[in-house]
Short mmCIF file of all heavy atoms in Angstrom, two decimals:
data_model
loop_
_atom_site.label_atom_id
_atom_site.label_comp_id
_atom_site.label_asym_id
_atom_site.label_seq_id
_atom_site.Cartn_x
_atom_site.Cartn_y
_atom_site.Cartn_z
N THR A 228 6.01 -14.70 -1.85
CA THR A 228 6.18 -15.30 -3.16
C THR A 228 7.17 -14.50 -3.98
O THR A 228 7.50 -13.35 -3.65
CB THR A 228 4.84 -15.35 -3.94
OG1 THR A 228 4.42 -13.99 -4.22
CG2 THR A 228 3.75 -16.06 -3.14
N ARG A 229 7.64 -15.08 -5.07
CA ARG A 229 8.53 -14.35 -5.98
C ARG A 229 7.81 -13.12 -6.54
O ARG A 229 8.41 -12.07 -6.72
CB ARG A 229 8.98 -15.26 -7.13
CG ARG A 229 10.05 -16.26 -6.75
CD ARG A 229 10.36 -17.15 -7.97
NE ARG A 229 11.34 -18.16 -7.65
CZ ARG A 229 12.64 -18.06 -7.91
NH1 ARG A 229 13.13 -16.99 -8.52
NH2 ARG A 229 13.47 -19.03 -7.60
N TRP A 230 6.53 -13.31 -6.89
CA TRP A 230 5.79 -12.16 -7.42
C TRP A 230 5.77 -11.03 -6.41
O TRP A 230 6.01 -9.86 -6.76
CB TRP A 230 4.35 -12.55 -7.77
CG TRP A 230 3.56 -11.36 -8.22
CD1 TRP A 230 3.50 -10.84 -9.47
CD2 TRP A 230 2.79 -10.49 -7.38
NE1 TRP A 230 2.71 -9.70 -9.48
CE2 TRP A 230 2.26 -9.46 -8.22
CE3 TRP A 230 2.47 -10.48 -6.03
CZ2 TRP A 230 1.46 -8.44 -7.72
CZ3 TRP A 230 1.67 -9.47 -5.54
CH2 TRP A 230 1.17 -8.46 -6.38
N ALA A 231 5.49 -11.33 -5.15
CA ALA A 231 5.47 -10.31 -4.10
C ALA A 231 6.83 -9.64 -3.99
O ALA A 231 6.92 -8.42 -3.84
CB ALA A 231 5.07 -10.93 -2.77
N ALA A 232 7.89 -10.42 -4.08
CA ALA A 232 9.24 -9.88 -3.96
C ALA A 232 9.51 -8.83 -5.03
O ALA A 232 10.07 -7.76 -4.76
CB ALA A 232 10.27 -11.00 -4.04
N THR A 233 9.12 -9.11 -6.27
CA THR A 233 9.41 -8.18 -7.36
C THR A 233 8.43 -7.01 -7.42
O THR A 233 8.78 -5.93 -7.89
CB THR A 233 9.40 -8.92 -8.71
OG1 THR A 233 8.15 -9.59 -8.88
CG2 THR A 233 10.51 -9.94 -8.75
N PHE A 234 7.20 -7.22 -6.94
CA PHE A 234 6.23 -6.13 -7.01
C PHE A 234 6.59 -5.00 -6.05
O PHE A 234 6.40 -3.83 -6.36
CB PHE A 234 4.81 -6.62 -6.71
CG PHE A 234 3.78 -5.52 -6.81
CD1 PHE A 234 3.33 -5.10 -8.04
CD2 PHE A 234 3.30 -4.88 -5.67
CE1 PHE A 234 2.41 -4.06 -8.15
CE2 PHE A 234 2.39 -3.85 -5.76
CZ PHE A 234 1.94 -3.44 -7.01
N VAL A 235 7.08 -5.32 -4.87
CA VAL A 235 7.33 -4.28 -3.87
C VAL A 235 8.72 -3.67 -3.97
O VAL A 235 9.04 -2.76 -3.20
CB VAL A 235 7.09 -4.80 -2.43
CG1 VAL A 235 5.66 -5.28 -2.27
CG2 VAL A 235 8.08 -5.90 -2.06
N GLY A 236 9.55 -4.14 -4.90
CA GLY A 236 10.86 -3.52 -5.03
C GLY A 236 11.77 -4.31 -5.95
O GLY A 236 11.50 -5.46 -6.30
N ALA A 237 12.88 -3.67 -6.34
CA ALA A 237 13.87 -4.36 -7.16
C ALA A 237 14.45 -5.53 -6.38
O ALA A 237 14.65 -5.44 -5.17
CB ALA A 237 14.98 -3.40 -7.57
N ALA A 238 14.73 -6.63 -7.09
CA ALA A 238 15.14 -7.85 -6.39
C ALA A 238 16.25 -8.56 -7.14
O ALA A 238 16.25 -8.64 -8.37
CB ALA A 238 13.94 -8.79 -6.25
N ASN A 239 17.21 -9.06 -6.39
CA ASN A 239 18.23 -9.97 -6.91
C ASN A 239 17.92 -11.36 -6.38
O ASN A 239 17.71 -11.55 -5.18
CB ASN A 239 19.63 -9.57 -6.43
CG ASN A 239 20.05 -8.21 -6.95
OD1 ASN A 239 20.17 -8.01 -8.15
ND2 ASN A 239 20.27 -7.28 -6.03
N PHE A 240 17.86 -12.35 -7.28
CA PHE A 240 17.68 -13.74 -6.87
C PHE A 240 18.98 -14.48 -7.16
O PHE A 240 19.34 -14.70 -8.32
CB PHE A 240 16.51 -14.38 -7.62
CG PHE A 240 15.18 -13.77 -7.29
CD1 PHE A 240 14.58 -12.85 -8.14
CD2 PHE A 240 14.52 -14.12 -6.12
CE1 PHE A 240 13.35 -12.28 -7.84
CE2 PHE A 240 13.28 -13.56 -5.80
CZ PHE A 240 12.70 -12.63 -6.66
N LEU A 241 19.69 -14.83 -6.10
CA LEU A 241 20.98 -15.49 -6.25
C LEU A 241 20.84 -16.99 -6.10
O LEU A 241 20.27 -17.47 -5.11
CB LEU A 241 21.96 -14.99 -5.19
CG LEU A 241 22.21 -13.47 -5.11
CD1 LEU A 241 23.24 -13.18 -4.03
CD2 LEU A 241 22.68 -12.95 -6.46
N PRO A 242 21.34 -17.76 -7.06
CA PRO A 242 21.33 -19.22 -6.90
C PRO A 242 22.13 -19.61 -5.65
O PRO A 242 23.19 -19.04 -5.38
CB PRO A 242 22.01 -19.73 -8.17
CG PRO A 242 21.89 -18.61 -9.15
CD PRO A 242 21.94 -17.34 -8.34
N ALA A 243 21.59 -20.56 -4.90
CA ALA A 243 22.25 -20.94 -3.66
C ALA A 243 21.97 -22.39 -3.33
O ALA A 243 21.04 -23.00 -3.87
CB ALA A 243 21.77 -20.05 -2.51
N HIS A 244 22.79 -22.92 -2.44
CA HIS A 244 22.56 -24.27 -1.92
C HIS A 244 22.47 -24.17 -0.42
O HIS A 244 23.35 -23.58 0.23
CB HIS A 244 23.70 -25.21 -2.32
CG HIS A 244 23.39 -26.65 -2.07
ND1 HIS A 244 22.57 -27.39 -2.90
CD2 HIS A 244 23.74 -27.49 -1.07
CE1 HIS A 244 22.45 -28.61 -2.43
NE2 HIS A 244 23.15 -28.71 -1.31
N VAL A 245 21.39 -24.69 0.15
CA VAL A 245 21.17 -24.59 1.58
C VAL A 245 21.83 -25.77 2.29
O VAL A 245 21.59 -26.94 1.95
CB VAL A 245 19.67 -24.55 1.90
CG1 VAL A 245 19.44 -24.56 3.41
CG2 VAL A 245 19.03 -23.31 1.29
N VAL A 246 22.64 -25.45 3.27
CA VAL A 246 23.27 -26.45 4.11
C VAL A 246 23.10 -26.03 5.57
O VAL A 246 23.56 -24.95 5.96
CB VAL A 246 24.78 -26.60 3.80
CG1 VAL A 246 25.41 -27.64 4.73
CG2 VAL A 246 24.99 -26.99 2.34
N ALA A 247 22.38 -26.83 6.34
CA ALA A 247 22.18 -26.57 7.77
C ALA A 247 21.63 -25.17 8.02
O ALA A 247 22.08 -24.44 8.90
CB ALA A 247 23.49 -26.76 8.53
N GLY A 248 20.64 -24.78 7.21
CA GLY A 248 19.97 -23.50 7.43
C GLY A 248 20.71 -22.28 6.93
O GLY A 248 20.30 -21.15 7.19
N ARG A 249 21.79 -22.49 6.16
CA ARG A 249 22.53 -21.37 5.60
C ARG A 249 22.65 -21.56 4.09
O ARG A 249 22.82 -22.68 3.59
CB ARG A 249 23.91 -21.23 6.23
CG ARG A 249 23.84 -20.90 7.72
CD ARG A 249 25.21 -20.54 8.28
NE ARG A 249 25.76 -19.31 7.71
CZ ARG A 249 25.43 -18.09 8.12
NH1 ARG A 249 24.53 -17.92 9.08
NH2 ARG A 249 25.97 -17.04 7.57
N ALA A 250 22.52 -20.45 3.35
CA ALA A 250 22.57 -20.49 1.90
C ALA A 250 23.94 -20.05 1.41
O ALA A 250 24.41 -18.96 1.73
CB ALA A 250 21.49 -19.58 1.32
N GLU A 251 24.58 -20.91 0.63
CA GLU A 251 25.89 -20.61 0.08
C GLU A 251 25.71 -20.07 -1.33
O GLU A 251 25.16 -20.74 -2.20
CB GLU A 251 26.75 -21.87 0.07
CG GLU A 251 26.99 -22.45 1.46
CD GLU A 251 27.73 -23.78 1.42
OE1 GLU A 251 27.91 -24.33 0.30
OE2 GLU A 251 28.12 -24.27 2.49
N THR A 252 26.17 -18.82 -1.55
CA THR A 252 26.07 -18.18 -2.86
C THR A 252 27.45 -17.71 -3.30
O THR A 252 28.41 -17.73 -2.51
CB THR A 252 25.13 -16.95 -2.82
OG1 THR A 252 25.82 -15.84 -2.23
CG2 THR A 252 23.86 -17.24 -2.03
N GLU A 253 27.55 -17.24 -4.55
CA GLU A 253 28.83 -16.74 -5.04
C GLU A 253 29.24 -15.43 -4.36
O GLU A 253 30.39 -15.03 -4.45
CB GLU A 253 28.77 -16.55 -6.55
CG GLU A 253 27.75 -15.53 -7.02
CD GLU A 253 27.77 -15.34 -8.53
OE1 GLU A 253 28.86 -15.40 -9.12
OE2 GLU A 253 26.68 -15.14 -9.11
N LEU A 254 28.28 -14.78 -3.68
CA LEU A 254 28.60 -13.54 -2.98
C LEU A 254 28.76 -13.74 -1.48
O LEU A 254 28.89 -12.77 -0.74
CB LEU A 254 27.52 -12.48 -3.25
CG LEU A 254 27.36 -12.03 -4.69
CD1 LEU A 254 26.31 -10.94 -4.79
CD2 LEU A 254 28.69 -11.54 -5.27
N GLY A 255 28.70 -14.97 -1.03
CA GLY A 255 28.85 -15.23 0.40
C GLY A 255 27.76 -16.14 0.93
O GLY A 255 26.93 -16.65 0.17
N THR A 256 27.77 -16.32 2.23
CA THR A 256 26.82 -17.21 2.90
C THR A 256 25.84 -16.41 3.74
O THR A 256 26.23 -15.47 4.44
CB THR A 256 27.57 -18.22 3.80
OG1 THR A 256 28.48 -18.95 3.00
CG2 THR A 256 26.60 -19.18 4.47
N PHE A 257 24.55 -16.78 3.66
CA PHE A 257 23.50 -16.07 4.36
C PHE A 257 22.71 -17.04 5.24
O PHE A 257 22.50 -18.20 4.86
CB PHE A 257 22.52 -15.42 3.39
CG PHE A 257 23.12 -14.42 2.46
CD1 PHE A 257 23.67 -14.81 1.25
CD2 PHE A 257 23.15 -13.07 2.79
CE1 PHE A 257 24.21 -13.89 0.38
CE2 PHE A 257 23.69 -12.14 1.93
CZ PHE A 257 24.23 -12.55 0.72
N ALA A 258 22.23 -16.53 6.37
CA ALA A 258 21.23 -17.26 7.13
C ALA A 258 19.92 -17.19 6.36
O ALA A 258 19.60 -16.16 5.76
CB ALA A 258 21.06 -16.65 8.52
N VAL A 259 19.16 -18.30 6.36
CA VAL A 259 17.95 -18.38 5.55
C VAL A 259 16.73 -18.56 6.44
O VAL A 259 16.75 -19.31 7.40
CB VAL A 259 18.03 -19.56 4.56
CG1 VAL A 259 16.78 -19.61 3.68
CG2 VAL A 259 19.26 -19.43 3.69
N LEU A 260 15.66 -17.84 6.10
CA LEU A 260 14.40 -18.00 6.82
C LEU A 260 13.74 -19.31 6.43
O LEU A 260 13.55 -19.59 5.25
CB LEU A 260 13.45 -16.85 6.46
CG LEU A 260 13.79 -15.47 7.01
CD1 LEU A 260 12.91 -14.43 6.33
CD2 LEU A 260 13.58 -15.43 8.51
N ALA A 261 13.39 -20.11 7.41
CA ALA A 261 12.57 -21.32 7.22
C ALA A 261 13.06 -22.20 6.07
O ALA A 261 12.30 -22.57 5.19
CB ALA A 261 11.12 -20.91 6.97
N ALA A 262 14.35 -22.52 6.08
CA ALA A 262 14.88 -23.43 5.08
C ALA A 262 15.71 -24.50 5.77
O ALA A 262 16.60 -24.20 6.55
CB ALA A 262 15.75 -22.68 4.07
N ASN A 263 15.41 -25.74 5.50
CA ASN A 263 16.10 -26.85 6.14
C ASN A 263 16.59 -27.84 5.09
O ASN A 263 16.16 -27.82 3.94
CB ASN A 263 15.17 -27.57 7.13
CG ASN A 263 14.70 -26.64 8.24
OD1 ASN A 263 15.51 -26.05 8.95
ND2 ASN A 263 13.39 -26.52 8.39
N GLY A 264 17.48 -28.72 5.52
CA GLY A 264 17.95 -29.76 4.62
C GLY A 264 18.99 -29.25 3.63
O GLY A 264 19.54 -28.16 3.77
#
Side-chain angles (χ1 to χ4, degrees):
T228 66
R229 284 177 182 262
W230 176 85
T233 55
F234 182 78
V235 300
N239 296 298
F240 295 100
L241 304 182
H244 192 78
V245 175
V246 179
R249 296 189 65 81
E251 299 174 351
T252 78
E253 62 178 324
L254 297 183
T256 302
F257 300 88
V259 182
L260 289 169
N263 299 303

